[in-house]
Amino acid sequence: MPLTLASLVHHSALKLTVRSGEGRLDIPVRWAHVSELADPVPYMEGGELLLTTAMTLDAENPEAMSRYVRRLQRAGVVGLGFAIGVNYDEIPEALVTAAQEADLPLLEVPRPTPFLAISKAVSAAMAADQYRAVTAGFEAQRELTKAALAEGPAALLARLASHVDGWAALYDASGAVVAAAPEWATRRAARLTADVERLRERPAPASAVVGSPDDRVELQSLGTGRRVRGALAVGTGAPLGTAERYAVHSAVALLTLTTERSRSLQAAEQRLGAAVLRLLLAGQPDHARAVSGDLYGGLLDAPFRLLIAGPLAEHGDVAGLTEAVESAASRAGEAVLAVPENGRLVILAADGGAAVGACTAYEPEVGNEIVIGLSAPTGPSAAAAAYKQAEQALSVARRRGRSLVEHDEMAAGSVLPLLADDAVRAFADGMLRALREHDATGRGDLVASLRAWLSRHGQWDAAAADLGVHRHTLRYRMRRVEEILGRSLDDPDVRMELWLALKATSTAEEES
């Protein structure tokens, strides 16, 4: 317990007498300071017991004493000790009245008690209190360490909340609440997400104090590097004392060690995940299952999705998505395989799980946009096909300027939007160029005739009717098409390529 005026009054060797402010003796005393100045305020910091003999004070002047006492109060002086038997045989009534009116504790110091004795008593009490705080802090550190090693972060938070007589919460790198103690604090901690996100924007280590005086919350970043790996929130009804501060610092150190250890484990898991992915893509699902063991085995027992994510810009990165996916999977208690691949990120996650949901809901930072391709639900034996699906979806996402495209969406839609690709249009223009140059000379309408004939599946009479020409005319035009292109219209591959070329050019004309 901190030293108070009451402690000094009850000190048998000091023999102090209370002359005013009896109801305010429970105020903590930070120091005892002797001053005979008429205005000692410039030298006060607040929390002091001021000791004086009134050598330079006009102690019998009511107005002067009223001003003197008010100045002391505004400076944060917690009490005034007046020595009798030196300059005054008793405390002047003007000072007693001023102290009573201001409710400032006024202590009468008898002649045999030197000010040095009071200073020593204050110093000894503060040293004892500091020792108790340090001892309590070390004891808290032992308890927190034991809890962290034996039961994990949740138990550590419970011990910390008990030590600070408040609550504590742990946030992951994405700013989501991982654990809180007591249980009711989870909802309170969730309301601080925006404050945690602002803390993450600052280089580690960083701290902040939020809330009101009676609902005070300290936020501490976790991580040894400049990148914040998590955050600790500690909520109390008052500023932390020395012992509580030791406990918080110990918790920050232990949680940081846990975070850094987790990063090492994640690196090892990532290497194992890369091996599992290579086996799956090589068509060896049984070997992949054997290697994955308990870590990824459950992931391969149910339908999963394969996602490929890449930065939209040349210098972007997918680190933010990695954190979001792994955090979502951790909170949901599900396995996820995330493997970096040449600046991209390959993710194997449970179909309909939290990790896939985190990908679809991911909002990257401005200037670091990414695109994602998502395969159809699949299993271990078809992982290679799912990889190709995700790559195709990623390519379509880039061309269409969309953040995410699912392969199912491509399969269920029309192929015609894919013809808008510049490479496809270049192919179409090259294939039809000779026919268009022929038509430009006014010697026939071969392109329109070819389109009509293909749309009627090679039915001469129907196509000729659409064009308003005789079927023999149409037959002549199709022979000219074959001659100009040097390809036979009896070949179904040729007819398919010509039809796609016509559709691609018509799509381009419609867009222009």
Side-chain angles (χ1 to χ4, degrees):
M1 293 293 292
L3 174 70
T4 63
L5 292 173
S7 303
L8 294 175
V9 171
H10 295 146
H11 195 299
S12 58
L14 299 180
K15 297 180 174 53
L16 304 178
T17 302
V18 180
R19 297 296 303 275
S20 71
E22 292 85 352
R24 303 186 69 237
L25 299 180
D26 59 344
I27 300 176
V29 178
R30 292 180 51 195
W31 195 243
H33 181 68
V34 180
S35 177
E36 299 296 346
L37 296 176
D39 183 14
V41 167
Y43 307 97
M44 300 290 104
E45 294 182 352
E48 297 92 352
L49 169 64
L50 180 63
L51 304 174
T52 184
T53 64
M55 183 180 298
T56 61
L57 293 180
D58 189 2
E60 296 179 345
N61 185 325
E63 291 185 4
M65 289 301 95
S66 180
R67 290 193 300 270
Y68 177 72
V69 168
R70 286 198 301 270
R71 284 198 303 273
L72 296 183
Q73 276 194 319
R74 285 195 295 268
V77 172
V78 299
L80 178 63
F82 191 99
I84 60 175
V86 182
N87 293 310
Y88 292 91
D89 292 335
E90 59 182 24
I91 303 177
E93 190 62 29
L95 179 56
V96 174
T97 301
Q100 290 175 342
E101 290 177 351
D103 199 21
L104 175 71
L106 177 61
L107 308 182
E108 183 178 286
V109 182
R111 181 69 179 86
T113 302
F115 285 163
L116 182 61
I118 299 175
S119 297
K120 284 185 175 181
V122 172
S123 179
M126 292 179 64
D129 186 60
Q130 185 72 14
Y131 178 78
R132 284 192 298 270
V134 172
T135 302
F138 283 137
E139 179 61 29
Q141 186 180 49
R142 284 193 293 269
E143 288 188 22
L144 294 174
T145 303
K146 182 178 179 180
L149 293 176
E151 303 173 67
L156 183 151
L157 293 177
R159 298 288 197 286
L160 179 60
S162 175
H163 276 291
V164 301
D165 192 23
W167 61 270
L170 175 64
Y171 301 82
D172 62 16
S174 69
V177 179
V178 175
E183 188 175 347
W184 58 261
T186 303
R187 184 173 299 177
R188 174 69 181 92
R191 296 201 296 268
L192 298 174
T193 301
D195 297 293
V196 173
E197 289 179 351
R198 283 191 289 271
L199 188 72
R200 289 174 55 210
E201 295 173 357
R202 297 162 52 188
S207 62
V209 178
V210 298
S212 58
D214 57 348
D215 184 22
R216 186 177 184 275
V217 181
E218 284 199 18
L219 298 175
Q220 299 278 350
S221 66
L222 304 176
T224 57
R226 292 180 60 82
R227 190 180 185 89
V228 175
R229 300 293 175 181
L232 171 68
V234 178
T236 56
L240 297 174
T242 303
E244 291 82 4
R245 180 69 59 191
Y246 273 113
V248 171
H249 288 171
S250 298
V252 169
L254 290 168
L255 290 172
T256 296
L257 286 174
T258 300
T259 301
E260 296 302 319
R261 179 172 176 269
S262 297
R263 289 175 59 196
S264 299
L265 290 175
Q266 287 173 0
E269 291 175 1
Q270 193 174 85
R271 290 192 292 272
L272 178 61
V276 171
L277 180 63
R278 285 196 297 269
L279 290 171
L280 287 173
L281 298 182
Q284 301 182 46
D286 293 337
H287 289 164
R289 193 183 300 277
V291 170
S292 62
D294 295 334
L295 186 59
Y296 299 118
L299 183 59
L300 304 183
D301 291 334
F304 58 77
R305 298 280 193 124
L306 201 147
L307 303 90
I308 301 179
L312 185 61
E314 181 180 354
H315 302 293
D317 64 73
V318 293
L321 178 64
T322 305
E323 290 183 356
V325 168
E326 291 179 344
S327 296
S330 176
R331 292 193 298 272
E334 66 183 39
V336 63
L337 191 156
V339 180
E341 180 190 78
N342 299 323
R344 305 190 307 179
L345 181 67
V346 181
I347 301 171
L348 196 151
D351 180 35
V356 174
C359 285
T360 57
Y362 181 67
E363 295 183 2
E365 298 177 359
V366 176
N368 189 34
E369 289 79 5
I370 64 172
V371 287
I372 304 172
L374 177 62
S375 78
T378 189
S381 60
Y387 186 88
K388 291 181 180 179
Q389 291 177 356
E391 280 203 313
Q392 292 167 356
L394 178 66
S395 178
V396 172
R398 288 190 183 281
R399 288 199 301 269
R400 297 185 184 178
R402 292 174 53 182
S403 60
L404 184 144
V405 169
E406 297 188 36
H407 186 268
D408 287 348
E409 175 187 344
M410 295 166 53
S414 171
V415 73
L416 294 181
L418 301 180
L419 302 181
D421 186 86
D422 291 340
V424 175
R425 288 177 175 173
F427 165 79
D429 290 340
M431 174 165 272
L432 299 176
R433 182 178 298 113
L435 300 181
R436 294 188 186 281
E437 290 175 352
H438 174 275
D439 291 347
T441 63
R443 291 180 291 169
D445 196 352
L446 299 186
V447 174
S449 298
L450 177 62
R451 182 181 286 109
W453 184 74
L454 290 174
S455 68
R456 288 294 187 175
H457 309 291
Q459 297 178 21
W460 299 103
D461 290 338
D466 290 342
L467 293 168
V469 300
H470 195 275
R471 65 177 180 275
H472 293 312
T473 302
L474 181 58
R475 286 180 183 275
Y476 169 77
R477 291 180 179 178
M478 292 303 98
R479 285 196 299 272
R480 287 294 295 146
V481 168
E482 290 180 319
E483 293 171 358
I484 293 172
L485 296 179
R487 306 181 72 177
S488 172
L489 293 179
D490 292 334
D491 187 336
D493 289 341
V494 173
R495 292 199 299 271
M496 178 195 68
E497 290 177 359
L498 287 170
W499 179 248
L500 289 178
L502 289 168
K503 297 299 293 184
T505 54
S506 64
T507 300
E509 292 167 357
E510 289 172 1
E511 290 181 354
S512 61

